[in-house]
Amino acid sequence: MKRNTKKKAGKLKRKEISEVKTCRICGNNNLLEFFSLGAMPPPNLFPKKTGDLKNEPFYPLDVYFCQNCGLVQLKHVVNPDIMFRDYIYITAASNTMVEHFGRLAGELVQKFKLGPDLLVIDIGSNDGTLLAHFKELGTKTLGIDPAENLVGVAAEKGVEQLPLLFTNQIAKKVRQKYGKAKVITATNVFAHVNDIHDFVRGLKTLLADDGVFIAEFPYLVDLLEKGELDTIYHEHLSYFAIRPLLTLFEEHDLELFDVRRVSVHGGSIRLYVRQGGKKTIPASVKKLLRLEAKMAMENSGPYLDFAKKAYTKRRNLVEFLSDLKAKGKRIVGYGAAAKGNILLNFCNIGPETLDYIVDAIPDKQGRITPGTHIPVYPEAKLLETMPDYTLLLAWNFADEILKKNKEYRKRGGKFILVVPKIKIV
Ligand code: JHZ
């Protein structure tokens, strides 16, 4: 079980990684480091078995809390070209997300009376899943996403996608060619942005005067309550509560006019933002501010407590799996998710513990997991080999995956859940 893979972050190369010194939102330097996962590989960079494994990149993963505005964030910023230009993750691998985005498109088309003359822009459009729903509903669409490899994948769905990282400068160019957007969406993108102020300026450049910006991303309250330590990785530069977002939008004269909690990705929030600066705070926003205050999230306590529990969780999981191995049980993993790769690296769990991991994304199959080098296979391998236990690394899709694998369970296979607690089903 014990592998000696303690890796050092090493000398930081300027081109690969940079470091911000002050808070991304308020610019204050009162940043408290409350949790360090050590040096971790970017969890979506899957090496080839024959790749140069000695030079696999590892970068520091330390998390800070701004004691001024409350933003939880990383200081180290891995060059987005390394993480996003050739992106292995595709939204369409999960039916839960495809259906979720179908409902979102339906809601927005109805609510904002979208039609063929009104433009919907999706920033971080990935494989075009969300925009394909909008297109089906008769809306004009445009995707913007730095992943060059996904332009063709989106095109197969009839979605035009520009392979660009969104900035204010890009927003100006897009506005010139395509005009302003009635709706701009950004799902699981806002947390990935280093220069948030420039991004928001870009939104203002591109959004029609009566336009709406809809953002969705994991909520810090869920991360703290359920101990979702594995959702911390280099791609996610910010971990948002409502309080710092209000500071941000106020500075840019934008109005957060509604917010909703949604269940995807371990618990997320959806923001509804528009131009103009009404100063009243809506009831939905007040409700979450009250919740954050009740959890004392303006103080360092909940963050230090989270870190303490994360180390305990690591000890418990490693012991739990060691016990199973000692009993001669065969264990594999399900879902080579970015979060799964962080959990495995943080716990130092490799191929001595998990024989393999199955995953639905074809580009992940045939590769090995970042840092831990566990081989990835198609999902069918589970039934072919019938391991005793399957560690559910993509725990956010537990319902979908358990349903899909009824036969494995019927034949005696068991799943191990890790969030919020270790549990066998
Ligand atoms: P999943 C992603 O992170 C990517 P990840 C991103 N960085 C982000 O911000 C967060 O989401 C929120 C597989 N799978 O979605 C597919 C099956 O094999 O939890 C994926 O590889 N069979 C933008 O990578 C993985 O599991 C299935 O039936 O942590 C899930 O990855 C299903 C449902 C999934 O996100």
Side-chain angles (χ1 to χ4, degrees), residues 89 192 233 235-236 338-339 359-360 364 379 396-397 404:
Y89 173 84
H192 297 58
Y233 48 89
E235 287 181 19
H236 298 161
K339 62 175 73 62
D359 196 284
K364 292 186 182 179
E379 289 165 297
N396 45 323
F397 296 122
K404 203 185 217 178

Side-chain angles (χ1 to χ4, degrees), residues 44 84 87 89-90 93-97 126 187-189 192 218 230 233 235-236 265 334-340 358-361 364 379 393-397 400-401 404-405:
N44 271 319
F84 304 128
Y87 203 50
Y89 173 84
I90 48 166
S94 134
N95 283 335
T96 309
M97 292 314 293
N126 190 259
T187 60
N188 300 306
V189 171
H192 297 58
D230 48 356
Y233 48 89
E235 287 181 19
H236 298 161
H265 287 311
Y334 206 113
K339 62 175 73 62
V358 293
D359 196 284
I361 296 181
K364 292 186 182 179
E379 289 165 297
L393 296 162
W395 47 262
N396 45 323
F397 296 122
E400 182 175 343
I401 291 173
K404 203 185 217 178
N405 290 282

Side-chain angles (χ1 to χ4, degrees), residues 12 74 103 115 194 223 313 372 387 411:
L12 302 185
L74 306 187
R103 284 191 296 274
N194 182 27
L223 185 149
K313 193 170 194 154
T372 49
R411 291 200 214 159

Side-chain angles (χ1 to χ4, degrees), residues 329-347:
K329 302 294 181 192
R330 279 182 310 133
I331 317 172
V332 303
Y334 206 113
K339 62 175 73 62
N341 289 329
I342 290 300
L343 186 72
L344 296 176
N345 276 282
F346 181 61
C347 296

Side-chain angles (χ1 to χ4, degrees), residues 29 86 115 137 154-155 163 187 201 221 232 271 336 373 403 424:
N29 63 5
D86 185 7
L137 296 167
T187 60
R201 277 192 286 275
V221 163
I232 296 171
L271 312 180
H373 304 165
K403 216 178 196 175
I424 294 180

Side-chain angles (χ1 to χ4, degrees), residues 283-313:
S284 58
V285 174
K286 276 188 189 152
K287 190 173 165 198
L288 292 189
L289 285 173
R290 274 198 302 274
L291 172 66
E292 291 170 15
K294 198 169 151 215
M295 289 172 67
M297 282 169 65
E298 71 279 20
N299 303 321
S300 58
Y303 308 99
L304 297 169
D305 190 43
F306 165 85
K308 221 164 86 190
K309 285 185 181 146
Y311 296 120
T312 309
K313 193 170 194 154

